[in-house]
């Protein structure tokens, strides 16, 4: 029977891991991810999974152990946050370039310094070029659902790329919510038995080499192959989502459009803040204001065309970024820059502005989101864009 | 896999699917100094064969017979360990002149 439990985001993902029952989990504790693998380690200790659980001395070692285990033919998972992800930097690229379908939870947390343990998206935004698929979750239910789907996406023969699933540090990771679990058997059947795509390191009858020297004569071709995996990922993500919807009744896409169709102005924002924004949209809609929301789910591969199509009819758009791309155009956020490029190629002539918010866990409250919609309506009235980038909630 | 194969036809992720093919990767072009042996002086002790890090000492019937110049990288270890100092590391430019 399916259970409905009160779980925080980290426990929800730990249950997804239990139901997937991976061969190997190698992890190192870091706030606010720690309770994910801690809860999972209890499942291991209680014999609920057959997973080989490797405690390592750092995140660099955690991802290295994951890479070794995946190359040896295991279904592999891990979890991290912030500085932990940064410490995996080198090995993130190795996992992606060896085409190992590792699945990882990253609980979004600010990067030091000054040192901070609370939510923003600077950790995974920094890793956006590493070759991993990136899926953001609004709440615990989405994180659970995304984590299960991630296994199928990563292992699909047309993709073969690692996937990181994100939810917001503390806001989602430590807040108790209603989470509907599939049954263990449903998850087991959905992910299926793992069949590695290549001969593995432990296959003594088919000896192979992983990670040889790859110079100017082949490296370029291998990078071109990685692009192909990424290019196929979008269709696979949708295919897996359709199948998951049939099973769970919960619908997923490349992004979620909320009251967007007949909207005049809209906000584009990731993760938990999208949940807060929905409440603001409902309030303003009740006052007759035509506002909407677009919440990207898949950030890598970025669904440029689909997103530009969904925004094209709007008269003004605000992107809200929970990180800064220092030194980029106007020091804007990475989500803003992607939305602008999508608009440049696929059309749309409305003004698009950026709001940097919530850095280092700074609260974002409904009144602030309402002020963003007010700003958008002011742009409509005056036809003037005063600022391209606004720091929402910083003290002057 | 023939040289110059395109991205669609090479194994994914830099995997090498067959064993023992590193011999096909010619590294002799990296060499700046070439080992040249004075065969008259050689006592066939095979120290060079033991020490060569690239398995580039050619041996037949327990006799040192020459160097595998497609793989020798010119490190000079053989010249260093040779007890009778019959190996001279010679600049590759000398052989360029010969051509
Ligand atoms: S120079 Fe170095 S690589 Fe070449 S034969 Fe001597 S020991 Fe081997
Ligand atoms: S070490 Fe010198 S003497 Fe001994 S086999 Fe080699 S070249 Fe000949």
């Amino acid at each position: 029977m399916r259970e409905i439990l009160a779980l925080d985001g980290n426990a929800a993902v730990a249950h997804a891991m239990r139901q997937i029952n991976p061969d190997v989990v190698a992890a190192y504790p870091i706030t606010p991810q720690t309770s994910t693998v801690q809860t999972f380690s209890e499942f291991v200790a209680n014999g609920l999974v057959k997973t080989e659980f490797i405690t390592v001395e750092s995140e660099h070692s955690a991802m290295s152990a994951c890479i070794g285990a995946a190359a040896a033919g295991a279904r592999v998972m891990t979890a991290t946050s912030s500085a932990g992800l940064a410490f995996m930097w080198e090995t993130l690229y190795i996992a992606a370039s060896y085409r190992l379908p590792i699945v990882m939870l990253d609980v979004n947390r600010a990067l030091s310094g000054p040192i901070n343990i609370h939510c923003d998206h600077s950790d995974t935004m920094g890793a956006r070029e590493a070759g991993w698929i990136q899926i953001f979750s609004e709440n615990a239910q989405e994180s659970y659902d995304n984590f299960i789907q991630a296994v199928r996406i990563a292992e699909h023969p047309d993709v073969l790329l690692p996937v990181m699933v994100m939810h917001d540090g503390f806001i989602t990771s430590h807040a108790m919510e209603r989470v509907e679990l599939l049954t263990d058997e449903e998850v087991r059947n959905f992910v299926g038995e793992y069949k590695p795509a290549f001969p593995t390191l432990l296959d003594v009858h088919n000896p192979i080499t992983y990670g040889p020297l790859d110079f100017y004569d082949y490296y370029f071709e291998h990078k071109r192959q990685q692009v192909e995996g990424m290019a196929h990922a979008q269709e696979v993500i949708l295919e897996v989502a359709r199948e998951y919807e049939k099973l769970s009744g919960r619908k997923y896409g490349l992004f979620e459009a909320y009251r967007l169709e007949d909207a005049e102005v809209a906000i584009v924002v990731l993760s938990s803040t999208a949940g807060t924004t929905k409440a603001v949209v409902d309030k303003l809609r009740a006052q007759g204001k035509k506002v909407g929301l677009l919440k990207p789910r898949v950030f890598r591969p970025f669904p440029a065309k689909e997103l530009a199509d969904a925004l094209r009819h709007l008269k003004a758009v605000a992107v809200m970024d929970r990180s800064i791309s220092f030194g980029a155009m106007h020091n804007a956020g990475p989500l803003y820059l992607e939305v602008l490029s999508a608009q440049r190629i696929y059309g749309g002539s409305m003004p698009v502005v950026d709001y940097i918010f919530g850095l280092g866990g700074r609260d974002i409250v409904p009144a602030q989101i309402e002020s963003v919609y007010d700003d958008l309506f002011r742009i409509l009235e005056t036809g003037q864009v005063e600022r391209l980038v606004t720091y929402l909630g910083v003290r002057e | 896999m023939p040289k110059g194969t395109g991205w669609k036809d090479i194994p994914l992720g830099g995997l090498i699917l067959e064993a023992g093919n590193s011999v096909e990767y010619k590294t002799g072009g990296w060499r700046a100094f070439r080992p040249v042996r004075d065969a008259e002086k050689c006592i066939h002790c095979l120290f060079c064969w033991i020490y060569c890090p690239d398995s580039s000492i050619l041996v037949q019937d327990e006799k040192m017979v020459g160097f595998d110049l497609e793989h020798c990288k010119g490190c000079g270890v053989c010249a260093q360990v040779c007890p009778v100092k019959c190996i001279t590391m010679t600049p590759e430019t000398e052989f360029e002149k010969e051509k």
Side-chain angles (χ1 to χ4, degrees):
Chain A
M1 210 187 68
R2 290 187 187 175
E3 282 186 297
I4 296 172
L5 299 177
L7 296 173
D8 62 34
N10 285 355
V13 171
H15 275 284
M17 287 167 85
R18 174 183 60 74
Q19 295 179 310
I20 293 162
N21 196 358
D23 300 309
V24 172
V25 169
Y28 188 80
I30 184 165
T31 303
Q33 168 283 120
T34 304
S35 65
T36 316
V37 285
Q38 187 186 329
T39 306
F40 183 72
S41 71
E42 286 166 20
F43 297 145
V44 176
N46 293 338
L48 298 179
V49 288
K50 61 166 177 50
T51 307
E52 181 76 34
F53 186 74
I54 312 174
T55 52
V56 287
E57 75 282 14
S58 76
E59 287 84 359
H60 189 281
S61 307
M63 186 48 66
S64 299
C66 286
I67 289 166
R75 181 179 265 158
V76 179
M77 302 185 160
T78 186
T80 195
S81 280
S82 180
L85 185 73
F87 198 16
M88 285 179 182
W89 211 253
E90 175 194 11
T91 50
L92 288 179
Y93 280 78
I94 293 175
S97 57
Y98 290 4
R99 312 301 295 273
L100 299 171
I102 297 165
V103 174
M104 170 163 69
L105 171 72
D106 183 276
V107 181
N108 281 124
R109 164 186 153 181
L111 281 169
S112 297
I115 195 163
N116 182 298
I117 59 167
H118 292 280
C119 176
D120 71 33
H121 296 162
S122 51
D123 54 356
T124 51
M125 281 304 170
R128 67 193 187 274
E129 252 69 283
W132 285 58
I133 290 166
Q134 294 187 313
I135 303 178
F136 284 87
S137 323
E138 178 185 325
N139 51 38
Q141 182 72 62
E142 284 195 9
S143 206
Y144 170 85
D145 292 337
N146 283 336
F147 205 79
I148 294 168
Q149 292 174 68
V151 176
R152 289 278 304 276
I153 297 163
E155 292 171 5
H156 193 286
D158 294 342
V159 178
L160 292 172
L161 287 171
V163 180
M164 58 176 90
V165 173
M166 278 70 80
H167 60 228
D168 280 347
F170 291 109
I171 302 160
T172 304
S173 67
H174 286 64
M176 200 78 95
E177 292 178 48
R178 175 193 186 281
V179 180
E180 197 180 315
L181 302 186
L182 300 172
T183 68
D184 294 359
E185 196 188 352
E186 282 172 330
V187 174
R188 213 166 35 238
N189 291 338
F190 185 79
V191 298
E193 197 187 323
Y194 178 47
K195 290 186 196 71
F198 315 116
T200 63
L201 285 180
L202 295 183
D203 182 351
V204 290
H205 301 293
N206 297 291
I208 57 155
T209 303
Y210 266 86
L213 210 57
D214 195 25
F215 280 165
Y216 35 73
D217 39 7
Y218 285 104
Y219 183 89
F220 202 171
E221 279 70 27
H222 289 127
K223 293 296 128 182
R224 179 63 188 84
Q225 290 178 331
Q226 260 177 267
V227 171
E228 202 65 5
M230 229 2 134
H232 287 136
Q234 183 164 314
E235 189 41 48
V236 170
I237 289 167
L238 289 172
E239 192 183 300
V240 171
R242 281 191 291 271
E243 206 183 310
Y244 193 78
E245 186 188 353
K246 262 187 230 145
L247 174 67
S248 68
R250 290 184 291 276
K251 189 176 171 62
Y252 288 93
L254 302 169
F255 50 78
E256 181 188 352
Y258 187 74
R259 306 187 81 165
L260 190 67
E261 241 170 55
D262 64 336
E264 286 183 325
V265 302
I267 286 177
V268 179
V269 68
L270 294 163
S271 298
S272 68
T273 311
T276 318
T277 306
K278 284 175 188 170
V280 175
V281 167
D282 290 347
K283 182 185 164 192
L284 297 180
R285 281 279 181 172
Q287 298 168 7
K289 292 181 183 157
K290 291 192 162 177
V291 298
L293 159 75
L294 188 147
K295 176 190 76 181
R297 172 182 178 238
V298 180
F299 186 74
R300 285 287 180 265
F302 192 76
K305 181 179 187 305
E306 293 75 7
L307 195 131
D309 287 347
L311 297 177
R312 187 170 293 115
H313 67 285
L314 295 159
K315 293 180 181 150
V317 171
V319 178
M320 291 177 62
D321 267 290
R322 207 164 191 156
S323 64
I324 296 175
S325 184
F326 289 103
M329 183 180 67
H330 292 275
N331 291 294
L335 184 57
Y336 176 68
L337 298 170
E338 291 282 349
V339 171
L340 275 194
S341 331
Q343 192 195 27
R344 171 74 179 77
I345 301 298
Y346 295 107
S349 52
M350 79 302 265
V352 183
V353 290
D354 193 20
Y355 287 80
I356 307 286
F357 76 100
L359 300 188
R362 176 68 51 88
D363 270 342
I364 174 86
V365 298
Q368 290 171 311
I369 296 169
E370 220 176 304
S371 78
V372 173
Y373 283 119
D374 288 346
D375 289 354
L376 290 175
F377 281 118
R378 200 166 317 119
I379 290 173
L380 285 201
E381 277 160 31
T382 62
Q384 300 286 318
V385 174
E386 271 175 45
R387 281 182 311 274
L388 283 180
V389 179
T390 303
Y391 300 94
L392 193 61
V394 80
R395 288 185 302 276
E396 291 298 336
Chain B
M1 190 174 72
K3 229 179 156 62
T5 305
W7 66 267
K8 291 178 189 146
D9 301 311
I10 60 176
L12 286 185
L15 292 184
I16 297 176
L17 299 173
E18 50 188 276
N21 64 1
S22 63
V23 69
E24 291 167 30
Y25 194 49
K26 311 276 194 270
T27 51
W30 303 5
R31 193 175 50 241
F33 292 90
R34 183 185 296 196
V36 177
R37 180 186 60 137
D38 182 345
E40 302 277 290
K41 280 201 207 157
C42 174
I43 57 173
H44 303 286
C45 66
L46 299 188
F47 273 27
C48 55
W49 178 80
I50 290 168
Y51 280 97
C52 172
D54 288 296
S55 308
S56 295
I57 303 294
L58 303 174
V59 174
Q60 260 168 27
D61 301 326
E62 297 178 19
K63 302 266 187 236
M64 194 305 190
V65 294
F67 303 95
D68 168 6
L69 291 177
E70 286 186 335
H71 297 95
C72 160
K73 297 197 208 64
C75 66
V77 166
C78 51
Q80 191 68 32
V81 299
C82 175
V84 296
K85 300 291 171 217
C86 71
I87 298 175
T88 317
M89 298 308 292
T90 316
E92 278 295 326
T93 46
E94 300 289 316
F95 305 96
E96 287 295 315
K97 278 183 222 151
E98 273 173 25
K99 274 188 201 165

